[in-house]
Amino acid sequence: MIPKEARPGDDTAGLLFYLYGPGKRDEHVDPHMVTAWDPYVPDPARSEEFSISDLATLLDAPVHTLLGKKPPLHVFHVAVRNPPEDRQLSDEEWARVAREMMHAAGIAPHTDEQGCRWVAVRHADDHIHIVATRAREDGRQPDMSWSKLRMQEVARRFEVEFDLRRLTHADGTARRWAKTGETEKATRRGLTEPPRETLQRAVREAAAGAVSDTDFFERLAAAGLRVKQRVAPDGNVTGYSVALPGDRDGGQKPVWFPGTRLAPDLSLPRVRERWSGPPVKVSAAPAAMWRTAAEKVRAAADQLGAGGLHQGAGEVAALGDLIVVAAVASPYLVRSQIREAAYEFERASRAPAARRMEGQARELYRESTQVLARSVSSAGRNDTVAALGFLVALVTAVEASRRWHQAQEHRVQAEAAGRAGRLLREAMEVTAGANAAREYKPRSKRTAAARKGTGRRAATEPGTRPMVGAVQEAVPEHAREVLADPAWPALRTRLAEIEKTGDDPAEVLAMVAARRELNSADSVAEVLVWRLDGWLRQRGSAAASAKSTAATLGAGTGSSGPARKQSAPAPTRRPSGDKQHKGPKRAR
């Protein structure tokens, strides 16, 4: 739930006419009042005798009776919105939200009968607008100090009560979200995300892998961004701005975003903290980058937070950079999961405390980051076997950061680390399944038929085999738990997909289950789904590669096939008259 206070205004009637109207693009649906300062105030949308102008006059009446100087901007306006994934609240629930918001803002306290006048209007499923006039019934102005912070606290309480998505608290570490106009502009241009989001990701990747100012700006340019440096009179660079090519305002000028407007830790001084210490020494060979990085990450996880609050803040920041670079260097099968994990861990990498960029754990994380950054284009990019050990170590490090945030009572950061850890565990299990697919050798049909005489179940036709039996055969010690798990339908679907490929689902399930232990999994069925996802992706990629190779060989003129009898080519017969196909005219 997001309460967003707009700039104060002076036209009560104009604002009400907009809220009750069709909107700028007919986006307002069924505008109506959900509640007001007085339960007997008529709703202009439901009354033929009471107009919007009459409602504005009632709201403005106390303004004209103020004892002192009247405020030049007396209209208070706040929109309270829920994210799209939240359930739709009823009018009664929105009415409760509006009353609590006005109480928290100081507009109309519950026990004060002399509070300001206000109304709450709803013209969409996911939000309401509250309009108030900043004039009390007793002729005084309201005390609205800390209104924004108090309304945020009310929103957090309703998120728990109404079972909504729990959003971040205002601790100064949140990312800078795209504004409504930026989102609408991206939609009109056919972009998948607003330019601010694209710039955030590109700048963070450049900052995570850079080792100096020059390297940082070169990486930004290599990413295809427009870069503008802010240079002081003494010649020192004090800041920077970036713009996406083609992103222009109404005057056809580039839309520049300073680093501090992208995220709190992307200002130039905070970016420079990453290489403020001694130079990082990287001695790993490209082919051994995953193993070397995993060793350093495991060593750092044991030391995270040992140096106190400020040193721990610097260490989780370095861990965030490592995940960003790991997403770029990761195998393609799990790249999307690791990128999502980097996105989720971004909030966890910004602890609400001053950070000190030193400590053994931070140094190890920085060394691991540079190992991956320097080896990404050399070797090992798609080495899923070597990457699995690194992902296991990275999951351990993220879990250590989550426990550290919990110990410091950083609730939002701990939750962000938990979400990132889940995505990394998913990537780890997908990688385990992909490794199993690379080593998988399907049995021949003759061997499968011979199983009839061994006392085991006979082979069945594709599409007729019960998947419950496949689970009981492959993982008998976990079968009862798997079949009762909510993820069992997804697992059954994956097994059916494997059967359609001609492979034995029980055999494949047993192979992926044996890759790693399952006793520590919160959901064995879900872990098996992830591993089978990796198995299917790897097998699909291998099949596509083999088909492409066969097509290439078939189209060639090699001599591997039997010799063909050579004969004189038949004369080409051309259609006569108008049936002849003319080629394209030569351009003059």
Side-chain angles (χ1 to χ4, degrees):
M1 183 173 290
I2 308 170
K4 185 177 181 181
E5 185 177 330
R7 294 179 180 178
D10 59 358
D11 186 3
T12 307
L15 178 57
L16 289 175
F17 272 107
Y18 168 74
L19 296 179
Y20 274 100
K24 295 180 179 179
R25 292 174 300 278
D26 297 327
E27 70 272 20
H28 296 175
V29 179
D30 186 25
H32 62 279
M33 182 190 302
V34 294
T35 186
W37 81 95
D38 188 325
Y40 298 103
V41 175
D43 182 2
R46 304 287 191 264
S47 175
E48 296 181 357
E49 301 177 354
F50 192 77
S51 66
I52 297 176
S53 298
D54 295 333
L55 178 60
T57 301
L58 277 180
L59 288 170
D60 284 338
V63 178
H64 302 296
T65 61
L66 284 176
L67 300 178
K69 183 179 179 181
K70 296 179 177 59
L73 302 174
H74 66 276
V75 180
F76 175 83
H77 176 206
V78 59
V80 187
R81 186 182 303 271
N82 283 339
E85 61 270 19
D86 281 344
R87 69 177 180 87
Q88 180 178 332
L89 300 184
S90 64
D91 282 354
E92 291 74 18
E93 290 172 323
W94 277 122
R96 279 196 56 206
V97 171
R99 287 191 290 268
E100 292 297 330
M101 289 292 175
M102 292 298 93
H103 170 74
I107 293 291
H110 292 324
T111 58
D112 190 352
E113 297 181 356
Q114 302 296 320
C116 301
R117 298 183 177 184
W118 58 273
V119 295
V121 179
R122 182 180 188 182
H123 55 214
D125 293 336
D126 61 350
H127 71 278
I128 60 172
H129 291 265
I130 308 175
V131 181
T133 49
R134 297 194 295 174
R136 293 169 50 86
E137 299 282 0
D138 56 9
R140 296 185 293 113
Q141 295 187 29
D143 179 12
M144 298 179 59
S145 56
W146 303 100
S147 61
K148 294 181 180 180
L149 180 60
R150 291 173 180 173
M151 286 191 293
Q152 290 287 346
E153 293 174 350
V154 170
R156 302 292 85 77
R157 294 201 302 267
F158 276 116
E159 288 166 1
V160 177
E161 179 180 350
F162 292 158
D163 193 23
L164 307 176
R165 178 184 176 187
R166 300 186 65 180
L167 302 181
T168 55
H169 188 65
D171 59 2
T173 63
R175 65 187 296 148
R176 306 291 188 257
W177 299 100
K179 298 180 181 179
T180 303
E182 297 174 20
T183 305
E184 294 174 349
K185 180 181 177 181
T187 302
R188 292 195 303 268
R189 295 180 56 196
L191 302 178
T192 57
E193 62 182 1
R196 184 190 296 264
E197 301 288 336
T198 306
L199 294 172
Q200 279 179 349
R201 183 172 57 254
V203 173
R204 188 168 300 281
E205 290 177 359
V211 295
S212 65
D213 282 23
T214 303
D215 188 19
F216 173 61
F217 289 117
E218 288 178 351
R219 288 174 180 268
L220 292 179
L225 308 184
R226 302 186 65 175
V227 184
K228 181 172 61 177
Q229 300 181 15
R230 185 170 64 250
V231 182
D234 59 359
N236 293 323
V237 179
T238 60
Y240 72 98
S241 298
V242 290
L244 205 61
D247 185 23
R248 298 180 179 274
D249 58 15
Q252 294 302 308
K253 295 181 180 180
V255 180
W256 295 98
F257 289 87
T260 188
R261 283 180 54 194
L262 297 178
D265 57 340
L266 292 183
S267 64
L268 188 57
R270 300 297 294 272
V271 168
R272 282 172 169 164
E273 289 179 354
R274 291 166 165 84
W275 53 80
S276 59
V280 176
K281 298 179 180 179
V282 180
S283 58
M289 69 169 190
W290 292 115
R291 179 177 54 80
T292 303
E295 293 173 355
K296 295 180 181 295
V297 171
R298 278 192 291 267
D302 297 333
Q303 303 177 29
L304 191 148
L309 174 61
H310 301 305
Q311 185 170 308
E315 290 167 349
V316 294
L319 177 57
D321 287 343
L322 174 61
I323 302 176
V324 169
V325 174
V328 178
S330 59
Y332 72 95
L333 290 176
V334 294
R335 200 169 300 157
S336 60
Q337 284 100 334
I338 302 181
R339 280 180 173 169
E340 291 180 17
Y343 177 87
E344 292 292 350
F345 192 80
E346 181 186 328
R347 187 71 185 271
S349 66
R350 292 191 291 267
R355 62 185 188 182
R356 192 165 62 241
M357 308 302 281
E358 57 186 33
Q360 185 65 24
R362 175 190 174 272
E363 183 178 349
L364 289 170
Y365 285 142
R366 287 294 294 165
E367 291 176 359
S368 302
T369 301
Q370 290 303 312
V371 167
L372 299 184
R374 297 186 183 185
S375 304
V376 64
S377 59
S378 301
R381 184 182 181 94
N382 293 320
D383 190 354
T384 56
V385 177
L388 178 59
F390 171 78
L391 289 175
V392 173
L394 197 58
V395 168
T396 303
V398 171
E399 177 61 23
S401 71
R402 186 188 66 83
R403 292 195 301 267
W404 180 81
H405 279 302
Q406 285 182 332
Q408 305 299 326
E409 298 184 355
H410 300 159
R411 180 185 63 84
V412 174
Q413 283 74 15
E415 292 176 354
R419 293 192 298 270
R422 174 179 173 81
L423 288 166
L424 289 174
R425 283 192 293 273
E426 177 182 347
M428 179 182 70
E429 300 298 349
V430 169
T431 304
N435 292 341
R438 297 178 67 173
E439 301 174 3
Y440 177 69
K441 295 181 180 179
R443 298 182 182 181
S444 63
K445 295 182 180 180
R446 184 176 183 179
T447 304
R451 292 170 60 185
K452 293 183 179 180
T454 61
R456 303 182 69 180
R457 175 179 39 79
T460 58
E461 294 296 327
T464 63
R465 183 172 184 173
M467 295 307 161
V468 173
V471 173
Q472 293 172 339
E473 177 183 342
V475 284
E477 66 278 12
H478 297 289
R480 179 173 298 181
E481 176 186 357
V482 168
L483 297 177
D485 195 290
W488 159 239
L491 177 59
R492 181 176 54 202
T493 301
R494 302 303 191 281
L495 293 173
E497 292 175 2
I498 291 173
E499 187 182 37
K500 290 179 181 178
T501 65
D503 294 309
D504 187 347
E507 183 180 339
V508 172
L509 184 62
M511 172 172 285
V512 299
R515 298 301 297 182
R516 287 179 52 79
E517 55 87 20
L518 295 169
N519 295 324
S520 61
D522 295 333
S523 170
V524 175
E526 193 170 35
V527 167
L528 292 175
V529 168
W530 292 338
R531 295 185 188 180
L532 291 180
D533 280 341
W535 193 93
L536 288 167
R537 293 180 193 176
Q538 182 64 41
R539 293 287 288 176
S541 175
S545 177
K547 185 180 296 185
S548 175
T549 303
T552 303
L553 292 176
T557 57
S559 58
S560 57
R564 299 174 58 185
K565 184 178 180 179
Q566 300 293 331
S567 60
T572 302
R573 183 171 298 176
R574 295 173 57 87
S576 60
D578 295 338
K579 295 183 179 181
Q580 292 187 8
H581 300 289
K582 298 182 180 180
K585 295 182 179 180
R586 179 175 299 178
R588 295 183 182 275

